[in-house]
Amino acid sequence: MTATTTVLPARALLLDMDGTLVNSDAAVERVWRRWADRHGLDGDEVMKVVHGRQGYASMALLLPDRPMEQNHADNARMLAEETADTDGVVAIPGAPEFLASLRGLPHALVTSADVALSTARMAAAGLDLPDVRVTAESVGASKPDPEGFLKGAAELGIAPADCIAFEDSGAGITAARAAGMRVVGVGPRAGVHRPDALVQDLTQVRVEPAADGTLRLYIG
C-alpha cells in the first residue's frame, strides 16, 4: 500500500455497467447519433445527455414537447438496436479481475440497461453477471433517480450508507448520492461530478474482506 492509497470501508458494492465495467461508448455513439440525425438534433449535444440514463429519460430531456409514450416506443426500438450491436464492446481495464475478486462478497449490478442489453454487453466484454442485478425492468424511474441503487441495497440487505457505488456518469453519480451512498467515479466523465474517489479504470481498485465481515476498498 502506497502513501497515496485511499481506504474506504463498506458492506456492499453497487456497480454500474456502461462506462464502469464495460466500455460500450462506440455502440452508444452509433445508436444515439443515428437517433439524433433522425430528429434533426446535434449529435454532440445529444451525447452530453444520454450517458447513465434510460433512453426514454434522455429523450424526454432532448424532446420535451414529445408525448412520453413515443419516447418509450422509441426506447424499445433503440434497446433492440443496441442489443444487436456489440461491435467494439470491451471490458474496462481491470474489470475481469475486480469482478472475480467480488465472488462471495455482497455486490450487485445497477444498470439503466434492460436484461437483454446488459446480458449481451457483459457477454461481449467477457464478464460474468453478478448474481444480484437491478436492470431497467426493475425500476419505475431512471437514474438520476436513486430508485435503482436503493433497490440494489435492499436486495443485498445492506443499508445505503454502508454501500459504495461505482459510476461513470453524472446521472449515475447523482442517483447514488441521492440514495445516500459514497461514490467511486470511473473514467474521465466521472471526474467533473466530484465523486468521493476517482480512478482512471478498475486496475486502480482492490477489495478485501475484513475480519469483522465488512469490506475494505483500496483505491490508488
Side-chain angles (χ1 to χ4, degrees):
M1 192 169 76
T2 67
T4 57
T5 299
T6 299
V7 184
L8 299 175
R11 290 188 176 277
L13 305 181
L14 301 181
L15 314 172
D16 174 52
M17 182 183 70
D18 291 303
T20 301
L21 297 173
V22 171
N23 183 346
S24 56
D25 282 1
V28 172
E29 290 251 352
R30 285 193 292 272
V31 170
W32 276 101
R33 286 186 181 276
R34 285 198 299 268
W35 183 88
D37 287 344
R38 287 198 296 269
H39 294 280
L41 298 174
D42 182 273
D44 292 339
E45 294 304 310
V46 167
M47 294 314 302
K48 292 176 184 177
V49 171
V50 301
H51 292 290
R53 293 179 172 84
Q54 290 191 44
Y56 74 84
S58 297
M59 293 170 192
L61 290 172
L62 292 161
L63 296 173
D65 297 326
R66 192 166 80 151
M68 189 57 82
E69 57 265 28
Q70 287 187 32
N71 295 337
H72 281 286
D74 234 5
N75 186 45
R77 286 191 291 271
M78 288 183 68
L79 281 170
E81 282 184 56
E82 289 184 287
T83 301
D85 182 1
T86 56
D87 187 32
V89 174
V90 296
I92 294 289
E97 297 82 2
F98 183 58
L99 282 173
S101 76
L102 295 181
R103 289 190 190 118
L105 303 178
H107 70 289
L109 187 73
V110 181
T111 177
S112 293
D114 64 3
V115 169
L117 180 57
S118 58
T119 301
R121 282 190 176 157
M122 291 288 279
L127 300 175
D128 293 330
L129 282 162
D131 291 337
V132 178
R133 302 184 288 274
V134 179
T135 60
E137 294 94 339
S138 310
V139 297
S142 168
K143 299 172 185 177
D145 190 282
E147 182 185 357
F149 283 113
L150 292 172
K151 187 156 192 172
E155 291 198 20
L156 292 170
I158 305 294
D162 291 327
C163 297
I164 293 177
F166 282 69
E167 268 287 359
D168 73 300
S169 70
I173 290 171
T174 298
R177 283 221 176 99
M181 298 175 184
R182 291 156 293 158
V183 186
V184 173
V186 180
R189 275 194 296 268
V192 298
H193 301 285
R194 302 181 66 183
D196 297 279
L198 179 66
V199 296
Q200 180 178 335
D201 57 44
L202 295 173
T203 63
Q204 296 176 279
V205 182
R206 182 168 56 87
V207 64
E208 290 183 358
D212 62 359
T214 63
L215 308 177
R216 292 287 181 272
L217 194 62
Y218 297 89
I219 297 169

